[in-house]
Amino acid sequence: FFYDKTMQLIIISGKIGSGKSTLSKCFQRKGYHYINSDSLAKNIIQSNKLVIDKLNQEFNILNDDGKISLKNLKVILLSSEENKNKINAIVHPFFYKELNLILGKSNHKKIALELPLIETRNNIKFDFIIVSIKTSLKIREKRYLSQSESKSEDFIILNKYQKSSEYYEKYSDHLISNNDTMEILQIKFNELYSKFKE
């Protein structure tokens, strides 16, 4: 780890549909610079020539325009855990190299990083605090399905791919439950934020 005492890096983690993006917005309102792992990974998948070539060699998924279809890649990822692991093995080394570069060059004193896969945290070369958001399965599924083109069977697979709720609890520095209203989440966030300020 690089212990950079001038930078406070908060990792926001949690299972699918738990409300990571909502919690991230709370941090952004407090002046935290926000990094979205999904957006960064998608950007790498669509623009990094080595990643594109490796994914295409493995799955033969180039569009007519020579680009990778994220939609097709998601179908492959959902089709088996083996495929999910293959995709991660290709993308993750490039993702973490890029992420560590971004963090190393950043002038921001406070950064909130939304990172769903808590088990990959040790690839980050900087000191961090993990805040995980805990939400019931029923509420998470409902939230996931409220997004356009989301399917219940996709949620079931993606949820199964993730670590258990107990794992998230074990490896988090702070836990916030998010089974209530936005107002209650904001109150819980404010309590947590006052700890960070100390």
Side-chain angles (χ1 to χ4, degrees):
F1 292 109
F2 298 127
Y3 289 97
D4 183 355
K5 292 299 173 200
T6 61
M7 179 174 77
Q8 187 189 59
L9 174 61
I10 307 289
I11 291 176
I12 297 155
S13 201
K15 299 193 76 165
I16 185 167
S18 56
K20 293 181 293 295
S21 300
T22 307
L23 186 61
S24 297
K25 288 192 178 89
C26 295
F27 278 101
Q28 287 175 76
R29 285 194 285 271
K30 294 291 185 187
Y32 281 75
H33 174 67
Y34 172 60
I35 300 172
N36 182 313
S37 290
D38 283 348
S39 299
L40 183 59
K42 283 172 183 171
N43 185 42
I44 288 166
I45 288 163
Q46 293 191 297
S47 64
N48 186 303
K49 181 85 170 67
L50 284 169
V51 173
I52 291 166
D53 288 347
K54 285 184 177 198
L55 287 170
N56 195 49
Q57 275 168 9
E58 189 66 56
F59 302 111
N60 191 24
I61 51 162
L62 282 191
N63 285 340
D64 296 336
D65 59 1
K67 290 204 169 113
I68 282 186
S69 159
L70 291 171
K71 211 171 180 179
N72 291 349
L73 193 62
K74 187 180 179 183
V75 171
I76 290 165
L77 179 128
L78 289 166
S79 65
S80 74
E81 191 147 12
E82 186 190 356
N83 282 343
K84 183 228 13 166
N85 292 336
K86 281 180 183 175
I87 292 167
N88 286 346
I90 291 168
V91 177
H92 282 177
F94 292 92
F95 170 82
Y96 278 102
K97 188 181 177 186
E98 181 69 19
L99 179 62
N100 284 315
L101 270 173
I102 290 166
L103 293 172
K105 287 178 180 175
S106 178
N107 299 319
H108 299 282
K109 298 293 176 210
K110 300 191 296 184
I111 297 176
L113 167 67
E114 191 178 324
L115 186 79
L117 302 182
I118 191 175
E119 67 274 21
T120 66
R121 68 200 177 280
N122 290 333
N123 292 301
I124 295 170
K125 294 179 178 174
F126 297 86
D127 197 10
F128 53 76
I129 296 165
I130 298 181
V131 178
S132 278
I133 190 156
K134 190 183 177 184
T135 311
S136 74
L137 179 71
K138 205 172 173 182
I139 292 171
R140 291 193 293 108
E141 184 170 14
K142 191 180 168 188
R143 282 187 194 144
Y144 179 81
L145 293 175
S146 69
Q147 300 163 22
S148 63
E149 292 183 37
S150 297
K151 300 189 200 106
S152 192
E153 54 267 35
D154 293 356
F155 173 83
I156 292 162
I157 295 166
L158 291 167
N159 185 60
K160 196 180 78 191
Y161 283 169
Q162 289 191 299
K163 292 289 183 189
S164 66
S165 298
E166 291 73 27
Y167 185 97
Y168 280 89
E169 284 182 42
K170 185 179 176 182
Y171 292 103
S172 298
D173 301 294
H174 302 276
L175 266 182
I176 286 188
S177 70
N178 183 27
N179 294 312
D180 305 291
T181 62
M182 185 63 219
E183 287 72 26
I184 291 171
L185 180 65
Q186 186 67 52
I187 291 164
K188 288 177 182 174
F189 168 77
N190 290 341
E191 286 168 5
L192 179 66
Y193 182 68
S194 62
K195 286 183 194 171
F196 289 160
K197 282 205 310 195
E198 288 160 21

